[in-house]
Amino acid sequence: MDTSFVKTPEIQQLLDRAAGVNESGGSARLKSIVRDLTESIMELIVKHDISESEFWLAMKYLADSSAEIGLIVPGTGLEHFLDLYMDAKDAEAGLTGGTPRTIEGPLYVAGAPLVEGNVNLSVDPDEGTTVLHMTGTVTGPEGEAVKDAIVHVWHANSKGWYSHFDPTGEQTPFNNRRRIKLGDDARYAFHSNQPSGYSVPPEGATDKLMQALGRHGNRPAHVHFFIEAPGYRTLTTQINFGDDPFAADDFAFGTREGLLPVPSRQGDSAYIQFDFQMQRAHDAGDEGFSSRNRAEATPAAEAETV
């Protein structure tokens, strides 16, 4: 059957009623979005001749996979698409330059200790792990040092587990997580037990989807960042290790040109020098974080120097 079936008067009336188009209450924007989304799903059902059983199996998958939605969204390319869409809107508005944005991922935790100086991120021992040293500056569009910047940094341990999400329960709260308050020179420095890459949970919802698509669920070793400062657009980004075997094949599409430094490895240490450039904020909303749901833990002390 042709998708023109969805354009018949009966189906169009159904869409209007389902989205509340002719009702006086509610949000006009939401009505339009719900109507278009529902119509798109109907067209997919017709285009691919999706059976009733296939439809309800898909609904069951969505219901059962809610705990992994933060992995499914990047794994299907949707989170990367949002970055590309925001890039395109910036270009259309004449906004260029700055460190590329890339996906946040689902594993940020608010409340990490606020620290200064050359910071040690790792509280827990991680036997046999290389020590990562990372340094750089945070500048604005004219190369100016960004005043009062705070660098949020978080990463996994050598087993690929993040504190607060580690199923072994062995990590100290906020292990490999800090907020670094920069000085007037806008330089940051930290060291930590080097993270490793990891895969999505075996036999979990994301892994089942990747297998069904003939794809893997691996991420390269990487380090996440938020950078915020008054007068500047908050930057969400991450660096992937350029020498990781999955650096160019990240299942979550987090790899972007300009975010692939190759560590300089010397004995049991690895060194990365990486500078961030921020864009100026055009309104107060640019200085904040998106309204994504994020984990929170008991806030740590607000003044810790390491």
Side-chain angles (χ1 to χ4, degrees):
M1 185 179 296
D2 189 86
T3 56
S4 61
F5 171 70
V6 179
K7 300 300 183 183
T8 60
E10 183 179 6
I11 304 301
Q12 292 297 303
Q13 289 170 15
L14 172 61
L15 285 164
D16 286 346
R17 290 184 62 192
V21 169
N22 298 317
E23 303 298 330
S24 58
S27 163
R29 175 175 169 79
L30 181 60
K31 291 179 185 188
S32 295
I33 293 171
V34 168
R35 193 189 190 287
D36 287 351
L37 176 62
T38 308
E39 185 170 29
S40 296
I41 293 171
M42 290 177 177
E43 289 178 346
L44 282 173
I45 290 171
V46 176
K47 178 180 179 180
H48 295 285
D49 192 21
I50 295 172
S51 70
E52 181 183 13
S53 292
E54 288 174 324
F55 176 84
W56 286 111
L57 282 172
M59 294 305 101
K60 183 180 186 301
Y61 174 80
L62 291 175
D64 293 345
S65 63
S66 59
E68 290 193 24
I69 197 67
L71 293 173
I72 293 170
V73 170
T76 54
L78 286 171
E79 193 168 0
H80 181 50
F81 170 78
L82 290 174
D83 288 333
L84 296 177
Y85 180 50
M86 289 186 285
D87 286 351
K89 290 201 296 183
D90 280 353
E92 192 173 65
L95 303 175
T96 59
T99 299
R101 57 166 60 92
T102 194
I103 65 170
E104 173 184 336
L107 301 173
Y108 175 78
V109 178
L114 183 67
V115 296
E116 299 178 61
N118 190 339
V119 176
N120 179 18
L121 305 186
S122 300
V123 178
D124 300 334
D126 204 340
E127 188 175 349
T129 306
T130 297
V131 178
L132 171 67
H133 299 265
M134 193 161 173
T135 60
T137 59
V138 178
T139 60
E142 280 77 49
E144 74 278 13
V146 172
K147 304 293 185 184
D148 300 317
I150 295 177
V151 175
H152 304 234
V153 55
W154 68 102
H155 66 67
N157 65 10
S158 69
K159 299 176 179 64
W161 298 119
Y162 288 77
S163 59
H164 301 271
F165 298 92
D166 188 339
T168 69
E170 296 176 354
Q171 290 194 60
T172 301
F174 297 110
N175 184 47
N176 296 323
R177 300 178 184 272
R178 289 294 183 271
R179 292 175 295 150
I180 306 173
K181 184 177 180 180
L182 306 191
D184 289 344
D185 61 358
R187 296 194 62 82
Y188 75 90
F190 67 82
H191 53 282
S192 60
N193 296 323
Q194 180 182 293
S196 69
Y198 53 84
S199 69
V200 297
E203 299 305 315
T206 314
D207 185 41
K208 290 177 180 177
L209 178 60
M210 293 300 107
Q211 289 187 42
L213 296 173
R215 295 176 50 203
H216 67 76
N218 293 297
R219 294 220 63 203
H222 58 280
V223 181
H224 294 269
F225 298 93
F226 285 144
I227 305 179
E228 58 174 327
Y232 293 86
R233 175 187 283 182
T234 297
L235 174 64
T236 301
T237 195
Q238 62 181 271
I239 56 104
N240 285 356
F241 290 18
D243 57 357
D244 188 284
F246 290 101
D249 191 21
D250 179 359
F251 108 97
F253 305 99
T255 300
R256 303 203 69 181
E257 185 177 353
L259 298 175
L260 275 171
V262 176
S264 172
R265 301 188 181 278
Q266 302 174 28
D268 60 358
S269 294
Y271 300 86
I272 294 177
Q273 199 283 328
F274 192 88
D275 297 329
F276 297 93
Q277 186 181 57
M278 303 181 73
Q279 294 184 357
R280 292 198 181 278
H282 291 268
D283 55 50
D286 280 352
E287 296 184 36
F289 296 86
S290 72
S291 56
R292 177 177 184 150
N293 186 42
R294 298 179 176 91
E296 295 185 28
T298 302
E302 289 296 310
E304 176 187 331
T305 302
V306 179

